[in-house]
Amino acid sequence: MKVQSHDLAILGGSPVFPESLHVGRPNVGDRARLLERFNDMLDRRWFSNNGPFVQELEQRIAAMVGVKHCIAMCNATVALEITIRALGLTGEVIVPSFTFIATAHALQWQQITPVFGDIDPVTHTLDPKSVEEMITPRTSGIIGVHVWGQPCRIEALQEIARRRGLALMFDAAHAFGCSYHGQMIGNFGSAEVFSFHATKFLNSFEGGAVVTNDDELASQIRLMTNFGFAGYDNVIYIGTNGKMNEAAAAMGLTSLESLDDVVAVNRRHYAQYARELNGLPGVTMFSYDERERCNYQYVVLEIDGTQAGLSRDQLMEVLWAENILARRYFYPGCHRMEPYRSYFPHAGLMLPETNRLSSRVLILPTGTAVDAADISTVCQVIQTALAHAPEVQDVLLRRVMQDQEAAD
Ligand code: T4K
């Protein structure tokens, strides 16, 4: 299908997709196997509290990542909260602002101040130089985020943490199945946290896990995840309820079994996007290191509005008009969301790269819910819109003026 300028919905045509094309559609895996597992679970009448599926999932993840301990949890946000607490973090902790809000909230939720470091424009992860600048006497730790599954500058962060006596952990929500210098993500810092949310590479509907090689930390986290119970009627620690249930673990196991297929699809889509968008002025695709293992779960564009002729937000309007629901992760940055915006109104002055990237980044649909024809259509919409940027600009500016008049 060739998309001409008069076909563009923003210029009066009909949307190319009659139904929404989402970023983050879950991968389903082997449905029959999942239902079989649900039946087993129902027959067993064991639905939660360290059931056999949870134990199997933990063992298989630990083996795949090559870590000593895996503690499955209800989601990555609670997993972050528990890990932060188990590590004894207090005062201030340095995190990127360019992350999902959960990274910052997991700290603030327990009265620890997230101090936002800037990012490296190449890796989109914490810039070690900025981390150094943010350290104060109140700093107790650093949380690096492997955004898009792209590993942080791990050695540099390790070196700072060691030299300054700080704890180091990683939010690896995006990075299941990824490696750094040949070693699987999950082995770095004191602990790493994966997300198995529906939109993630490995999905358990909702879920997450903490992985660590530290025996003591692992047993503390396990206790905290189950109210501090060390056996019936015996609470030996403060805890919460972070448990993964059996239905989630059944989905997690089924998803784990289809990961090779999912990564093959993601990789093919990533290569197709790279090919079909290649050479478009002002459009750069985030590229993954082919020497490492990678899940290719995110297709990330960076739009330079001056060169492209349309800003990221304008291009997004074009795509949404076609029912292509591209996303602006992680706009506008945690520091410009509440409560941080009110707490630290000037934080942005220290975050030029975060501000720049969050105004330029656009995530496109991938995964098993889209096919090669969908991707070609998405790419053609982008090409046609940019080739007719002045007309598109005109329509969008007129819309803004009309909206303003209506508001006055
Ligand atoms: N750290 C980082 C770096 C993270 O990115 C995240 C989560 C976390 C920590 C916390 O992990 P969890 O506590 O969630 O385990 C989505 C996800 O909800 C969120 O898990 C994820 N990061 C973030 C990057 O993306 P939203 O605000 O985009 O959610 P939502 O509901 O708009 O879903 C995204 C898209 O997926 C939609 O376009 C629709 C589609 N979708 C979603 C669901 C749930 C489906 O098609 N089917 C579905 O079942 O945050």
Side-chain angles (χ1 to χ4, degrees):
M1 175 192 183
K2 181 100 185 95
V3 179
Q4 316 270 359
S5 65
H6 57 261
D7 295 325
L8 290 177
I10 203 91
L11 298 180
S14 308
V16 280
F17 291 101
E19 283 175 26
S20 300
L21 198 69
H22 287 281
V23 167
R25 282 254 117 153
N27 299 308
V28 177
D30 184 339
R31 191 182 292 240
R33 188 72 186 100
L34 176 65
L35 296 177
E36 203 182 307
R37 284 193 164 107
F38 281 167
N39 276 326
D40 288 351
M41 177 189 78
L42 296 174
D43 290 344
R44 261 198 304 266
R45 290 180 193 260
W46 195 277
F47 296 167
S48 187
N49 293 33
N50 203 27
F53 285 151
V54 164
Q55 289 181 32
E56 188 184 343
L57 184 66
E58 288 180 342
Q59 281 158 16
R60 286 170 71 171
I61 289 172
M64 184 178 157
V65 173
V67 282
K68 281 169 84 176
H69 306 281
C70 170
I71 302 115
M73 300 231 182
C74 55
N75 59 56
T77 306
V78 169
L80 283 168
E81 286 167 8
I82 291 177
T83 310
I84 287 163
R85 191 159 181 138
L87 279 173
L89 301 187
T90 54
E92 296 175 359
V93 171
I94 299 169
V95 290
S97 170
F98 190 75
T99 180
F100 190 61
I101 195 67
T103 322
H105 279 354
L107 291 161
Q108 190 64 49
W109 191 250
Q110 35 201 340
Q111 317 300 331
I112 301 166
T113 304
V115 172
F116 298 117
D118 208 3
I119 47 166
D120 173 322
V122 176
T123 63
H124 296 186
T125 62
L126 257 186
D127 176 0
K129 213 162 99 291
S130 167
V131 170
E132 288 264 18
E133 286 165 10
M134 298 298 179
I135 295 173
T136 74
R138 277 169 50 78
T139 308
S140 62
I142 304 167
I143 304 181
V145 183
H146 307 303
V147 182
W148 326 133
Q150 163 68 43
C152 294
R153 295 201 182 277
I154 293 176
E155 276 124 3
L157 294 177
Q158 277 168 339
E159 195 278 319
I160 296 172
R162 190 192 45 75
R163 184 164 36 81
R164 306 296 293 260
L166 303 174
L168 175 66
M169 60 175 275
F170 292 97
D171 176 341
H174 299 187
F176 189 72
C178 301
S179 69
Y180 179 71
H181 294 177
Q183 190 171 16
M184 295 306 284
I185 293 293
N187 286 280
F188 301 99
S190 296
E192 303 208 53
V193 172
F194 296 122
S195 170
F196 306 143
H197 180 259
T199 57
K200 295 296 190 293
F201 178 52
L202 173 65
N203 111 67
S204 64
F205 303 132
E206 287 270 4
V210 182
V211 287
T212 177
N213 287 310
D214 182 328
D215 300 341
E216 205 178 314
L217 184 65
S219 52
Q220 209 175 346
I221 288 173
R222 225 173 242 298
L223 279 171
M224 284 180 157
T225 302
N226 187 26
F227 312 100
F229 274 110
Y232 284 129
D233 310 326
N234 186 22
V235 172
I236 59 165
Y237 213 83
I238 183 169
T240 182
N241 183 357
K243 290 179 271 103
M244 177 182 274
N245 67 59
E246 284 290 277
M251 183 60 175
L253 285 166
T254 311
S255 176
L256 199 61
E257 286 158 1
S258 69
L259 280 193
D260 288 346
D261 298 337
V262 174
V263 82
V265 169
N266 281 352
R267 196 186 166 116
R268 206 167 51 236
H269 289 348
Y270 163 81
Q272 186 185 352
Y273 273 121
R275 223 172 29 247
E276 297 190 14
L277 296 174
N278 184 31
L280 278 183
V283 178
T284 318
M285 210 173 115
F286 184 85
S287 62
Y288 297 100
D289 185 343
E290 301 280 333
R291 294 163 303 182
E292 298 286 356
R293 286 185 64 174
C294 177
N295 60 34
Y296 299 92
Q297 183 72 0
Y298 293 92
V299 171
V300 183
L301 296 189
E302 209 180 314
I303 311 296
D304 175 336
T306 318
Q307 282 187 42
L310 294 178
S311 69
R312 184 276 311 273
D313 287 352
Q314 289 172 327
L315 183 59
M316 194 171 92
E317 272 201 62
V318 169
L319 293 170
W320 277 59
E322 306 290 353
N323 283 328
I324 304 164
L325 306 187
R327 297 293 301 268
R328 302 186 285 188
Y329 298 136
F330 292 102
Y331 176 80
C334 295
H335 68 288
R336 292 193 283 201
M337 291 182 174
E338 292 296 356
Y340 315 107
R341 181 170 60 188
S342 298
Y343 290 170
F344 320 112
H346 305 299
L349 294 174
M350 301 291 280
L351 303 169
E353 294 298 342
T354 301
N355 291 336
R356 191 182 138 277
L357 189 66
S358 61
S359 71
R360 292 160 63 122
V361 93
L362 195 60
I363 316 301
L364 298 180
T366 186
T368 56
V370 297
D371 62 21
D374 296 333
I375 292 174
S376 269
T377 306
V378 173
C379 293
Q380 282 199 34
V381 167
I382 295 174
Q383 285 160 3
T384 307
L386 296 186
H388 297 270
E391 275 171 76
V392 173
Q393 284 255 14
D394 207 42
V395 169
L396 291 175
L397 288 176
R398 254 186 286 136
R399 266 195 200 172
V400 172
M401 276 154 61
Q402 277 163 2
D403 287 351
Q404 257 167 8
E405 274 167 28
D408 290 344

